[in-house]
Amino acid sequence: MRFLQGRQAKRLATDKMNKSRYDAIIIGAGHNGLTAACFMAKAGLKVLVLEKNDYLGGAAVSLELHPGWTYSNCSYVCSLLRPEIVRDLNLPKYGLQVIPYSGGGVFMQNGDHLCNYNDHDAHRLELARHSKKDSEAYDRYSTDLMRQCRFIKPLLMRMAPDPTSFKPRDLGELAYLGKRFLDFSEAQMAETLRFWTMSVAEFLDEYFESDVIKAYYAGSGIIGTALGPMSPGTAYVLLHHYMGEVDGNIGAWGFARGGMGSISKAMAACFEDHGGEIRSGCGVDKVLVKNGRTVGVVLKNGDDYYANTVISNADVKHTFLDIVERDDLPEDFVRQVERFKIRGSSGKLNIALDGMPEFPQVPKDSPIFNGDMHFTDSIERMERGYDDWKNGTWSKDPYLDMLLPTRIDPTMAPPGKHYMTVFVQYAPYHLANNESWDGANRDAFAQTVFNQISEYSPNFKDMILHYECRTPLDIEREAGITEGNIFQGELTFDQLLFNRPVPGYAQYRSPIKGLYMCGSSTHPGGGVMGAPGANAAREVLRDLGARQTVRGY
């Protein structure tokens, strides 16, 4: 009798394990995790996605935190999402619509403004109003930046080669990279090498003289980065933001209709349409490792799920310092992960407005309101804001990237009302004197932002119906990103290509057999791009010998 009971218990345990066994488990339903999941499900694998939050999307989410208003809580504009991924997953079929925007500009302290026009000739005329020399230099600037863009874009959907490897595939990729570089003239080669290591301030100084023009373009070089505009490496960050596209227009930006969560929602629908399974409210506590390879995961509630392939969409620090046992990893690998730079530098405000705020220094029909608006009219002001970050406090004169998505997408607020998104640079994760972000400091941070906007819009504060303020600590808590770093690691040259995240492990694999990475800590980096997820899926399918469904090589 006892023998039968033992056999029955063993059979029940085996049945339970089989029911919770998958070909692959993906940790995190951020957009890269969902991208990887879609391609793997399309290849016929039984895939499970586990998400700690009750909602999907990671940092690409849309939530109604005030009745009638939809907030893009973290990420807020779309451009970097690779068109190859959109086409291959047929995301428009699942409701994705990206609406391009144009306009934007800078409100200046002297009462003037700089407006960004979509029309090339109109934009040149606006630049000439501030500097005729800069107007003449604009085409040269655009051409040189596009040259760098054309060089790097084909690498986004390819695996970064290991320069120390003699494997045929790595040698082939190095040859591909070398051939592209040799297409440059000798002068262009030198400029490219300089560009990847120089500051955005130095780069812009080579083209423009007007403070406000340089400030407008420099903003893309500091967003989400714990560096100032005069710090080496920020010129590449500018390029990283420039190489996206909307409807084939390089460098264009747009709003995902219904908020950035529409991207994640479309991906989730595609994944489930191909037989995938998503479980929300399921935070992973530990990756199970046996004899040097992964065998599954344990959730925070104690449940087990089993797979010989686990892909982490979490950042490299959270993956290998929190949910993987240190004893399962080589010590030198752990040390390199600990040195990976992933510092919080920014915050976010989402604001429900009773109507359209007034900005008296700009005509009401100006296209400035239809794009990204800023109040920092010199690089020197940006650098002083970075000095505050270095001293452990938020910028007293912050760089704001402010947009009104409802000017383009009225579905995000009730009729006649508006939604405003404000990205704030700089805000440190660690405040001076070990002060807490919770409570008074979060409120003071928000008031700093409100005060700056109010200097240019006298009725702005009266229009506020509701707002939420997200510090780097809040972003870490909710999106699960270490220190709230929106790129899951800084985009400096020492952390790109075959160095991202760790030399020797830049090809989405880890020291543990069967454990992969697919988040923005991997090549080619951050932003709502999907490339890390697609690239990781390709490598997993290659290792499993599965039918390829991911574009690449």
Side-chain angles (χ1 to χ4, degrees):
M1 186 67 178
R2 289 181 180 176
F3 174 70
L4 291 175
Q5 288 176 341
R7 288 183 60 183
Q8 185 179 31
K10 184 176 181 179
R11 185 171 63 251
L12 290 172
T14 300
D15 290 344
K16 180 182 177 182
M17 179 178 291
N18 289 336
K19 288 180 180 178
S20 58
R21 176 168 289 282
Y22 297 83
D23 295 322
I25 295 172
I26 295 178
I27 302 172
H31 80 281
N32 276 313
L34 291 172
T35 299
C38 286
F39 283 114
M40 294 171 68
K42 284 186 66 178
L45 300 186
K46 182 183 178 184
V47 183
L48 171 67
V49 174
L50 298 170
E51 169 56 43
K52 75 178 184 71
N53 291 318
D54 294 329
Y55 52 86
L56 307 181
V61 298
S62 302
L63 296 176
E64 184 177 312
L65 299 182
H66 186 64
W69 274 261
T70 300
Y71 291 168
S72 287
N73 296 68
C74 293
S75 62
Y76 54 101
V77 286
C78 182
S79 171
L80 298 178
L81 184 62
R82 298 307 307 147
E84 306 97 309
I85 294 171
V86 174
R87 290 192 296 268
D88 288 351
L89 299 183
N90 197 9
L91 295 183
K93 171 186 174 182
Y94 301 100
L96 178 62
Q97 180 183 0
V98 179
I99 311 168
Y101 71 74
S102 60
V106 184
F107 298 90
M108 300 172 64
Q109 287 182 312
N110 65 3
D112 199 356
H113 69 280
L114 171 71
C115 186
N116 179 50
Y117 288 89
N118 195 39
D119 179 83
H120 176 267
D121 292 336
H123 188 62
R124 284 279 305 271
L125 286 173
E126 173 68 358
L127 296 180
R129 194 169 66 82
H130 294 273
S131 167
K132 291 183 179 179
K133 177 184 175 182
D134 290 0
S135 177
E136 295 300 321
Y138 175 72
D139 285 343
R140 180 168 60 91
Y141 164 78
S142 298
T143 299
D144 290 350
L145 199 57
M146 185 59 69
R147 182 185 302 115
Q148 299 300 330
C149 188
R150 285 197 298 266
F151 174 72
I152 192 66
K153 277 186 67 177
L155 307 180
L156 300 179
M157 294 290 288
R158 303 175 75 94
M159 182 187 71
D162 183 349
T164 67
S165 169
F166 292 97
K167 295 178 180 178
R169 192 172 173 215
D170 286 304
L171 293 174
E173 280 305 295
L174 285 170
Y176 173 82
L177 183 61
K179 182 179 182 302
R180 293 193 58 79
F181 189 67
L182 290 172
D183 287 340
F184 288 148
S185 68
E186 186 174 331
Q188 289 169 347
M189 289 181 188
E191 287 303 309
T192 297
L193 292 175
R194 288 183 65 243
F195 175 82
W196 279 59
T197 57
M198 69 195 312
S199 73
V200 68
E202 292 173 311
F203 177 66
L204 294 171
D205 278 343
E206 298 188 358
Y207 301 90
F208 305 119
E209 62 179 8
S210 166
D211 285 341
V212 67
I213 291 173
K214 287 189 286 187
Y216 181 67
Y217 292 121
S220 294
I222 64 167
I223 284 182
T225 303
L227 297 170
M230 299 180 184
S231 301
T234 48
Y236 174 78
V237 181
L238 165 69
L239 176 65
H240 190 85
H241 284 100
Y242 188 81
M243 60 190 173
E245 59 184 272
V246 176
D247 292 337
N249 297 312
I250 307 299
W253 290 83
F255 296 118
R257 186 176 179 86
M260 291 296 283
S262 299
I263 297 172
S264 304
K265 183 179 179 181
M267 288 180 171
C270 173
F271 174 58
E272 292 178 329
D273 199 24
H274 288 86
E277 181 181 348
I278 301 174
R279 291 179 181 265
S280 58
C282 293
V284 172
D285 183 63
K286 179 183 177 182
V287 174
L288 293 172
V289 178
K290 185 176 181 180
N291 298 325
R293 73 157 302 133
T294 183
V295 295
V297 299
V298 179
L299 303 188
K300 292 186 182 297
N301 66 8
D303 290 346
D304 298 336
Y305 291 94
Y306 301 95
N308 290 331
T309 299
V310 174
I311 305 101
S312 176
N313 186 41
D315 66 74
V316 65
K317 283 185 180 285
H318 182 52
T319 299
F320 296 107
L321 302 182
D322 295 334
I323 61 175
V324 175
E325 295 285 351
R326 191 177 185 120
D327 291 343
D328 292 324
L329 296 166
E331 189 59 35
D332 62 333
F333 176 82
V334 174
R335 286 196 296 269
Q336 290 185 83
V337 169
E338 290 173 335
R339 290 195 295 266
F340 186 74
K341 296 193 297 293
I342 180 167
R343 302 173 294 183
S345 64
S346 50
K348 176 83 187 310
L349 272 75
N350 296 296
I351 308 169
L353 297 172
D354 197 28
M356 180 68 191
E358 297 175 359
F359 291 86
Q361 70 193 75
V362 176
K364 290 184 177 181
D365 60 349
S366 172
I368 199 170
F369 299 117
N370 296 331
D372 50 323
M373 294 169 276
H374 314 281
F375 306 97
T376 304
D377 56 5
S378 73
I379 285 179
E380 287 72 19
R381 286 178 64 190
M382 287 184 193
E383 190 69 23
R384 287 197 296 270
Y386 180 51
D387 289 339
D388 289 334
W389 180 90
K390 288 183 287 185
N391 291 327
T393 185
W394 60 90
S395 300
K396 299 304 183 287
D397 179 22
Y399 173 83
L400 305 184
D401 190 31
M402 183 183 79
L403 297 102
L404 289 158
T406 40
R407 295 272 301 189
I408 309 296
D409 177 12
T411 68
M412 300 183 73
K417 313 298 181 183
H418 280 283
Y419 159 57
M420 176 183 285
T421 170
V422 186
F423 182 88
V424 189
Q425 194 83 10
Y426 296 84
Y429 177 78
H430 298 285
L431 290 174
N433 303 317
N434 294 317
E435 290 190 25
S436 170
W437 264 117
D438 294 322
N441 281 323
R442 183 189 289 109
D443 293 340
F445 173 59
Q447 288 303 317
T448 298
V449 174
F450 295 155
N451 290 340
Q452 187 182 83
I453 299 173
S454 296
E455 290 178 16
Y456 303 86
S457 177
N459 73 334
F460 167 71
K461 289 185 180 181
D462 296 333
M463 305 291 287
I464 298 174
L465 298 175
H466 174 267
Y467 77 91
E468 68 152 358
C469 177
R470 295 188 170 206
T471 69
L473 178 61
D474 296 320
I475 296 172
E476 179 184 68
R477 287 170 174 167
E478 297 176 33
I481 306 171
T482 297
E483 292 203 14
N485 183 289
I486 65 171
F487 293 138
Q488 285 196 3
E490 289 170 28
L491 299 173
T492 49
F493 189 62
D494 61 317
Q495 295 193 167
L496 293 175
L497 293 171
F498 40 76
N499 287 330
R500 191 173 186 88
V502 170
Y505 296 97
Q507 299 177 346
Y508 311 99
R509 298 165 181 86
S510 79
I512 299 172
K513 188 175 178 63
L515 178 60
Y516 298 79
M517 299 168 278
C518 73
S520 295
S521 289
T522 62
H523 171 75
V528 182
M529 185 184 299
N535 292 345
R538 183 184 58 240
E539 297 309 305
V540 171
L541 294 174
R542 181 185 292 271
D543 289 351
L544 295 178
R547 177 171 54 88
Q548 291 287 306
T549 62
V550 189
R551 294 191 189 208
Y553 62 106

